[in-house]
Amino acid sequence: MKHAKKASFAAGLIALCYALAAELPAYWVFLAMSAVISGLVLQSLGVVVGQAGMISLCQMSFAAIGAWTIGQLNVWGVPGGLYLWTPMAGLAAVPLGLLVGLPALRLRGVHLAIATLGFASAVDVLLLTTTFPGSDSGITIGRPMGLDSDRQYFLFCCTVFAIISVALRSVRRSRLGASWRALRESERAAAAAGTCVPHAKLSAFAVSAFIAGVSGALLAGQLAMVVSRNFDGMQSMAAYAVAVMVGAHHVEGALIGGVLGVLVSELLRRYGIPQQWSSLVFAAGAIQALAQGAGMSDGLRAGVRSRRRRGLHSYSVPESPAAAPDHNTGDPKKFIDKPNALEITGLTVRYGHVTAVDSVDLIVPSGTIVGLVGPNGAGKSSLVDAVSGFISAVEGSVRIAGQSVEGLVVHQRARGGLRRTFQQDRVPTGLTVGEYLQFTACRALTDEDIANGLAGLIAAHPGDHIADLNVGTHRLLEVAGVMLARPVVAVLDEPAGGLAHTESERLGNWLASVPRRYGSAILLIEQDVDLVRTTCERVTVLDFGRVIAQGPPNSVFNQPAVLRAYLGQGEGV
């Protein structure tokens, strides 16, 4: 079905282009060609900006590399013409994309923007001091047979745009595309789900550079000869503003942006207004989009989803897994001979002269649920960050299923069987429920797997967009995603925070079935003492970074040291 939709989309786009090519006057065909090429630039920005959430102000520099490559291949007389040269031009821009992506491994926000703008400025200087191949000798870029007229070349540009659009749709539905959108929401959460953040960032820049390089190649074929001002750095900034305004990570947004760019420039030209004013128009549109938190295409899609939801019947939480048929039931004795799921020995975390975690020992046996509680500031979050790899300068040891994780970074620990959730909402809103569960599971899930993962916990359909769900559902969805990965141990950091009492009870019942259903152990960090009492076999209590009590919940919560830590006096919890 998905492949049919992609094919129908591409066929529909090409059919529309044929109609336009046949009916539009020659001048408007040329403008339509420019709109399609601009749409490709916006699609390249849609990858790195719209999906991965990074800033790039050097897309026209990548396009310049593509155009330069076309010129050089033309001078050399390489066979194949634009049919073969266009993808080669895109590939030529990829190394530059990787180079520009390197600062993104350390820089974010305005600092990354400055780095990419610096690259664009360097390319501008280089282009001003050199010339494009063939421009000095007057060698123009010829079009091969079948692309002789502007109408034919327009159709070629549309075909390239359609191919790239379909390819990006496929990538968007893959784990790579999901990792880009997870990066946009939270790099920490993406890493905790097993994503190598540097690889994901560099891949976004590489794909973005390829598409921009292709757009530069098409522009060279359109103009026959290009010069440095065709790739002025200010155009990159204007393209960024348009991409934000229209939501260029969607194909319709890129098309709208390409058309708007051409129409606004044409209107300004006709009324004798300097072209530079178009940048001001797009900047205002980008500010409006940022204020609303969505571009034009995002708003259009949200409206369509809203109308569809009004036509659907509501549904309740599916049957609890405790009562539903369980295909993952195993013998509890299978955990007896297994090593401890998580074993922490002498763990110490220091921030300068402050000791946040002080020589903590904690064991989570396989197939069990162990609680970790303590008042605010007790060191629970620091302990979780150290165990999951976000803090590397620690003392002591952490072992998963008997294997030391020393020297392993976050995503390696996640792939090795240690998963975690976060106190703050870090679920990527750009995914559907099904896409998110597939992403976090790091394995292929069947419809039955997803249905069982949601059963008894969440009233949501796999096709629902996470952006349309409330924050409480986000938290429960994060827990379901972690467990569908079937980790050795899952560290749940206050999963009941912000949940209603009935939701918290439902979560407790669902968690109690996890060791039997998924074979995973759980370290549950919670402020909800009732949830800990009813769910955990053992509890460890931290206060000022030290363990002050360990044992069964009912006995631990009545110890004087625990009562003092929570209430400052000898009263019951």
Side-chain angles (χ1 to χ4, degrees):
M1 180 63 70
K2 292 180 180 178
H3 293 294
K5 288 182 178 179
K6 295 172 190 174
S8 63
F9 166 79
L13 179 59
I14 293 175
L16 176 61
C17 294
Y18 268 96
L20 291 174
E23 298 296 332
L24 288 177
Y27 179 67
W28 284 98
V29 169
F30 185 86
L31 292 181
M33 193 190 310
S34 299
V36 172
I37 295 173
S38 297
L40 275 176
V41 176
L42 295 177
Q43 279 199 311
S44 74
L45 277 165
V47 171
V48 72
V49 176
Q51 294 196 52
M54 298 179 286
I55 297 177
S56 175
L57 301 179
C58 59
Q59 296 306 109
M60 295 310 296
S61 300
F62 299 142
I65 299 299
W68 192 95
T69 303
I70 290 291
Q72 189 62 66
L73 293 173
N74 181 61
V75 170
W76 287 341
V78 176
L82 288 169
Y83 295 117
L84 179 62
W85 299 350
T86 298
M88 293 175 66
L91 291 174
V94 170
L96 276 299
L98 293 174
L99 179 63
V100 174
L102 290 177
L105 304 184
R106 294 287 183 180
L107 303 178
R108 299 176 182 85
V110 66
H111 300 96
L112 178 58
I114 293 172
T116 58
L117 185 60
F119 174 80
S121 299
V123 172
D124 283 348
V125 172
L126 181 63
L127 292 178
L128 287 173
T129 57
T130 60
T131 58
F132 280 85
S135 59
D136 282 346
S137 53
I139 301 176
T140 59
I141 299 170
R143 298 175 185 171
M145 183 179 299
L147 303 180
D148 306 278
S149 69
D150 277 354
R151 296 183 189 277
Q152 292 173 325
Y153 193 72
F154 168 63
L155 293 176
F156 174 68
C157 293
C158 292
T159 302
V160 173
F161 184 93
I163 292 172
I164 289 179
S165 298
V166 172
L168 285 180
R169 279 193 171 192
S170 298
V171 173
R172 184 180 176 87
R173 289 183 169 89
S174 70
R175 177 170 175 78
L176 177 60
S179 69
W180 291 343
R181 284 172 283 172
L183 282 179
R184 178 177 181 173
E185 196 75 28
S186 170
E187 291 183 18
R188 287 167 62 89
T195 296
C196 179
V197 173
H199 290 174
K201 287 185 172 184
L202 290 176
S203 67
F205 267 100
V207 172
S208 176
F210 175 83
I211 299 172
V214 168
S215 73
L218 295 180
L219 181 63
Q222 179 192 23
L223 301 180
M225 184 178 291
V226 292
V227 293
S228 60
R229 67 172 177 270
N230 295 129
F231 307 98
D232 181 77
M234 291 302 297
Q235 293 186 44
S236 293
M237 300 183 69
Y240 174 80
V242 175
V244 172
M245 179 178 71
V246 299
H249 48 291
H250 299 303
V251 62
E252 62 270 26
L255 276 175
I256 292 171
V259 172
L260 281 178
V262 170
L263 287 181
V264 170
S265 297
E266 180 65 14
L267 286 173
L268 292 177
R269 184 191 66 80
R270 292 197 174 197
Y271 286 100
I273 301 174
Q275 296 289 304
Q276 290 80 355
W277 284 96
S278 62
S279 298
L280 183 60
V281 173
F282 298 139
I287 292 172
Q288 178 68 16
L290 290 172
Q292 294 178 342
M296 290 181 182
S297 61
D298 295 302
L300 290 173
R301 291 194 170 208
V304 171
R305 293 200 304 269
S306 178
R307 287 192 294 272
R308 287 177 178 173
R309 286 197 304 273
R310 285 197 294 267
L312 297 175
H313 296 290
S314 60
Y315 44 84
S316 58
V317 178
E319 185 181 5
S320 169
D326 190 353
H327 301 286
N328 301 304
T329 301
D331 184 356
K333 295 180 180 180
K334 68 181 181 181
F335 298 116
I336 294 177
D337 297 328
K338 283 191 173 184
N340 292 319
L342 176 65
E343 188 171 347
I344 302 171
T345 306
L347 187 66
T348 301
V349 178
R350 293 187 176 91
Y351 303 109
H353 297 292
V354 177
T355 301
V357 180
D358 191 358
S359 299
V360 169
D361 295 333
L362 192 153
I363 292 176
V364 181
S366 295
T368 65
I369 303 177
V370 174
L372 177 64
V373 301
N376 291 332
K380 302 187 298 295
S381 295
S382 294
L383 184 143
V384 175
D385 283 347
V387 168
S388 55
F390 287 104
I391 301 175
S392 55
V394 300
E395 300 173 15
S397 67
V398 177
R399 304 179 75 85
I400 302 173
Q403 300 296 316
S404 174
V405 298
E406 183 178 359
L408 298 182
V409 295
V410 178
H411 76 275
Q412 292 172 328
R413 297 188 186 197
R415 294 175 183 177
L418 173 64
R419 289 300 191 92
R420 65 164 294 182
T421 65
F422 295 85
Q423 290 184 28
Q424 300 81 16
D425 179 17
R426 298 179 185 270
V427 178
T429 56
L431 298 171
T432 64
V433 170
E435 288 172 342
Y436 175 72
L437 295 178
Q438 292 278 2
F439 168 67
T440 54
C442 287
R443 63 188 179 90
L445 297 178
T446 65
D447 293 341
E448 184 181 13
D449 291 332
I450 294 176
N452 288 337
L454 299 175
L457 185 65
I458 304 169
H461 187 272
D464 289 345
H465 286 258
I466 294 175
D468 300 328
L469 305 177
N470 60 49
V471 175
T473 304
H474 288 188
R475 299 191 69 83
L476 297 176
L477 184 62
E478 185 181 21
V479 173
V482 164
M483 291 310 172
L484 281 171
R486 299 181 181 273
V488 175
V489 60
V491 182
L492 307 183
D493 196 353
E494 299 190 15
L499 298 183
H501 178 67
T502 54
E503 292 176 315
S504 182
E505 283 188 334
R506 190 164 71 237
L507 172 63
N509 293 333
W510 192 89
L511 290 177
S513 70
V514 163
R516 177 173 52 88
R517 298 173 70 216
Y518 297 116
S520 302
I522 297 175
L523 177 61
L524 178 62
I525 303 168
E526 249 316 324
Q527 297 288 4
D528 187 339
V529 175
D530 289 335
L531 177 61
V532 174
R533 284 183 190 273
T534 58
T535 307
C536 300
E537 300 177 24
R538 292 181 59 83
V539 178
T540 296
V541 184
L542 286 185
D543 191 27
F544 294 107
R546 293 185 177 183
V547 175
I548 61 173
Q550 285 184 324
N554 289 332
S555 65
V556 164
F557 287 130
N558 289 318
Q559 293 184 20
V562 176
L563 298 176
R564 285 194 298 272
Y566 269 97
L567 303 175
Q569 54 186 345
E571 297 180 6
V573 177

